[in-house]
Amino acid sequence: MPGYDSSRSRLRLADRHVRVIARLAAGETPDPALFPTLGELQELGLVGEEGELSPLLRELVGALKTPVLNISVEITGEAGPVHHGVLVGAETVIAHEGWPGDEESEYIPIEPSTLVFELARMVRLRRGGGGEEQPAARRVESTMKALDGAFAVLAAPAGEAGDAGDAGDAGDAGEDRDTVRKAVTEAGTTGDMADALTELVLALNSYWRVTVAWDGQHDGGHAPMFRSLAVWDCGFRGYWIREQPEEPILHGQVTPDSPLHLVRSDAGEIWRRLTALIPEKEELGPR
């Protein structure tokens, strides 16, 4: 259910609630399928009986009505994928953060000057960022087939994993390593690259992608523009930027034969890359 905290201007909303608010802010009637969602907002007092919006929604509505940037943060860890992001409007900036397994996200206004700090916090960018035991290779080149094979082994029940790679006890770190390496090798990645990819997969805390979208200019007209950064957070094995598959990735574009390229990085470089995702004023379309 939606909620709010007026003391900190915090809102707890699902995507469907935001869609209803956006339609009402534009003077439109929500789709009939969203009427139950509208009822939830009315019950909470965020929307009136005639569709009028509460003053508590003023900053969120401002960002929705005059969007400048839409920033998506997708992060996948042990609990599965979680979505965060930032809505940058002409007058207000709203950060929203999800929680594993929850439909709702928390929406809260932030200062524009803290935008990169917020993105770094959402992906848990850490100064130092591990890297105490990085593989010898500074670059890992493999395929998505090899990565899928490694993940499949780790996701398999203990008995199946053991049968697939003669690993025996799946809880033994050394046997896990042998099983994953075997899956990577059978997928066509061998030698030092197989060793490095195995170590990174086993150390993987999370992988995340930040995508910044805005209305830019191309050939004198409006054009949707995107920039993305995809990173593996491998804990004590450091940060690795995923160069391939190259962002933005379209649906169906990645196949088992698609290349997987990872390049060693550090927190300082990733901070600079996050900053570079934000377009300059001259890159934005006329408003």
Side-chain angles (χ1 to χ4, degrees):
M1 290 291 290
Y4 67 86
D5 172 12
S6 60
S7 66
R8 293 184 57 198
S9 298
R10 294 188 299 174
L11 296 162
R12 185 173 174 84
L13 303 168
D15 288 346
R16 55 191 176 88
H17 297 123
V18 177
R19 289 199 298 272
V20 168
I21 292 168
R23 294 294 294 271
L24 294 174
E28 302 172 356
T29 301
D31 296 332
L34 290 172
F35 284 174
T37 300
L38 173 61
E40 292 176 0
L41 293 170
Q42 289 175 326
E43 182 179 351
L44 190 62
L46 291 176
V47 176
E49 292 185 2
E50 302 300 322
E52 60 272 26
L53 298 174
S54 166
L56 292 168
L57 298 172
R58 179 180 57 83
E59 290 173 298
L60 175 60
V61 168
L64 292 171
K65 291 181 70 173
T66 58
V68 177
L69 301 177
N70 188 353
I71 304 177
S72 170
V73 179
E74 306 162 74
I75 182 166
T76 301
E78 185 178 354
V82 184
H83 295 270
H84 314 302
V86 182
L87 300 172
V88 179
E91 302 292 337
T92 58
V93 180
I94 305 291
H96 56 93
E97 294 188 64
W99 187 264
D102 282 4
E103 180 189 19
E104 291 88 4
S105 296
E106 181 181 273
Y107 289 74
I108 188 167
I110 63 171
E111 288 297 318
S113 60
T114 67
L115 177 56
V116 178
F117 288 92
E118 287 291 327
L119 296 178
R121 184 182 60 80
M122 287 178 181
V123 300
R124 196 171 172 259
L125 184 64
R126 306 175 303 285
R127 186 162 52 188
E132 297 88 353
E133 299 182 30
Q134 291 187 351
R138 298 193 61 86
R139 182 180 187 88
V140 176
E141 296 188 358
S142 182
T143 64
M144 294 303 295
K145 180 180 179 181
L147 180 62
D148 290 342
F151 283 163
V153 165
L154 293 176
E160 294 182 20
D163 293 342
D166 297 325
D169 182 4
D172 183 273
E175 293 176 344
D176 274 351
R177 181 175 292 102
D178 292 341
T179 306
V180 171
R181 193 187 189 287
K182 185 174 187 294
V184 168
T185 301
E186 289 177 346
T189 299
T190 59
D192 291 344
M193 290 295 99
D195 291 338
L197 181 59
T198 297
E199 296 302 328
L200 294 184
V201 167
L202 290 172
L204 187 61
N205 284 336
S206 66
Y207 53 93
W208 52 261
R209 173 175 61 186
V210 176
T211 302
V212 179
W214 71 95
D215 185 16
Q217 301 182 68
H218 182 71
D219 292 337
H222 289 270
M225 308 294 285
F226 302 89
R227 286 190 190 133
S228 293
L229 175 65
V231 172
W232 284 23
D233 178 351
C234 294
F236 65 93
R237 299 208 184 278
Y239 292 112
W240 294 73
I241 293 174
R242 196 196 72 212
E243 290 188 345
Q244 294 286 342
E246 186 178 6
E247 298 289 344
I249 298 174
L250 303 178
H251 179 71
Q253 183 179 4
V254 176
T255 70
D257 294 326
S258 296
L260 172 68
H261 294 176
L262 302 168
V263 179
R264 187 189 300 179
S265 186
D266 56 45
E269 180 185 7
I270 291 173
W271 174 276
R272 291 189 292 272
R273 293 225 184 180
L274 285 173
T275 302
L277 293 178
I278 310 302
E280 301 292 340
K281 287 184 178 181
E282 55 268 21
E283 296 180 84
L284 302 174
R287 311 193 66 80

